[in-house]
Amino acid sequence: MKTIQHLIILLAATFVLPATAQTLRTGLLAGGSLGLINNLEPRSNVFHGNGQPVQYAYDYQYGLSLGYRFRIENERNDRLFYDLDAWLNGKVFESETLYLGDYNGYRVKAISHDVSLALAVSPSVNYKLIQDLYVGFGVEPTWYMVPTTDGKKFDIPCVWTLGYDINPKIDITLTYRLGFTNVIDDKFFKKGNISDISLSIFIPFTVK
C-alpha cells in the first residue's frame, strides 16, 4: 500500500506545472472492457443456510464506462502530457453456486449475473513515442458504491495505457488495469483481485 501511496504523490507532483506552460483540453470519455479475475482462492468448508456444503465460482465478464477527461498539455515539452479522468463504471459478474449435498441423488447448480457500479478518478502521466502514438501510466482509486457482493468497497488499481490521437477531435486508448484488493467476495474467497483490458474513446469539447 505504501508503494501505491508513493505513486499517487508522484503523479500529483507531476501535475504541478507553471500556469504559462499549460494547455487544457476537456471532453467526453466512453469505453468498454473485458474482465479478468486473478488469484481467486475459495474458502474451505463453506455451507449453505440449510447446512449443505457448497462451492462458489465467480467470473468478471465485461464492463461499460462513461466519464469525463481533463487533459493537461505541456507547451514546453510537446511529448509529455497529463490526464485526469473521472469515471462511472458498470461491471458485470457471473456467479456460480454448486450445492454438494444430497438432493435426491443430484447436485444442483445455480448461475446468476450481478452488476456493480463504481466511481473512479484516474490521474496519469503520458509520453508521446512517435507522432500521435503515446504510452501512459497512472493509478485509479475506485469506490464500489453499488456492490452486489460482499467484497471490499475500495481498490486502487494501477493503469497502463497505449493511445493514439487520431485527430484533434478523437483519441482512442487501449488500457490494462490491475486491481489489488478482493472486491469480489471476501465471505467466500480468501483472496482474489480483478483486472481488465479496455478500449476507450476521448472526444474533446473545449480547449483552453
Side-chain angles (χ1 to χ4, degrees):
M1 185 60 68
K2 287 185 178 180
T3 301
I4 295 176
Q5 291 174 348
H6 292 160
L7 287 172
I8 293 174
I9 293 172
L10 178 61
L11 287 168
T14 60
F15 277 83
V16 182
L17 297 173
T20 57
Q22 294 179 355
T23 298
L24 177 64
R25 288 201 293 164
T26 68
L28 182 68
L29 285 167
S33 60
L34 295 177
L36 302 167
I37 289 183
N38 311 302
N39 306 315
L40 191 62
E41 183 178 334
R43 295 186 182 276
S44 59
N45 301 322
V46 177
F47 296 90
H48 191 256
N50 60 8
Q52 298 290 348
V54 295
Q55 288 182 351
Y56 291 93
Y58 229 80
D59 182 32
Y60 171 24
Q61 295 190 314
Y62 62 89
L64 296 174
S65 303
L66 187 65
Y68 201 81
R69 169 171 290 169
F70 300 86
R71 172 163 289 178
I72 303 170
E73 297 174 334
N74 186 356
E75 295 178 357
R76 297 180 181 179
N77 184 350
D78 58 3
R79 286 185 175 271
L80 190 66
F81 62 94
Y82 313 92
D83 288 333
L84 180 60
D85 303 338
W87 286 104
L88 174 63
N89 300 317
K91 303 177 187 292
V92 177
F93 296 86
E94 181 183 85
S95 61
E96 180 180 296
T97 306
L98 180 62
Y99 299 90
L100 304 177
D102 184 9
Y103 293 87
N104 297 322
Y106 294 95
R107 290 185 173 185
V108 178
K109 180 189 291 187
I111 297 177
S112 62
H113 291 85
D114 305 317
V115 178
S116 292
L117 294 179
L119 288 177
V121 177
S122 179
S124 63
V125 179
N126 306 279
Y127 185 81
K128 289 186 179 180
L129 298 175
I130 51 173
Q131 294 294 329
D132 297 314
L133 181 68
Y134 63 89
V135 294
F137 174 76
V139 293
E140 190 171 285
T142 303
W143 172 46
Y144 288 84
M145 58 178 181
V146 185
T148 54
T149 66
D150 293 321
K152 305 297 183 183
K153 304 302 184 287
F154 189 74
D155 195 7
I156 307 180
C158 287
V159 177
W160 293 265
T161 59
L162 175 66
Y164 187 76
D165 195 0
I166 296 177
N167 56 50
K169 296 295 184 180
I170 190 168
D171 180 299
I172 60 172
T173 306
L174 183 66
T175 302
Y176 176 68
R177 186 177 292 101
L178 175 63
F180 294 96
T181 62
N182 180 7
V183 299
I184 305 161
D185 201 321
D186 53 10
K187 180 179 179 180
F188 300 123
F189 300 99
K190 292 181 181 178
K191 63 179 182 178
N193 57 288
I194 65 173
S195 60
D196 60 46
I197 299 173
S198 65
L199 184 66
S200 61
I201 299 176
F202 172 46
I203 304 174
F205 294 147
T206 63
V207 178
K208 296 182 181 179

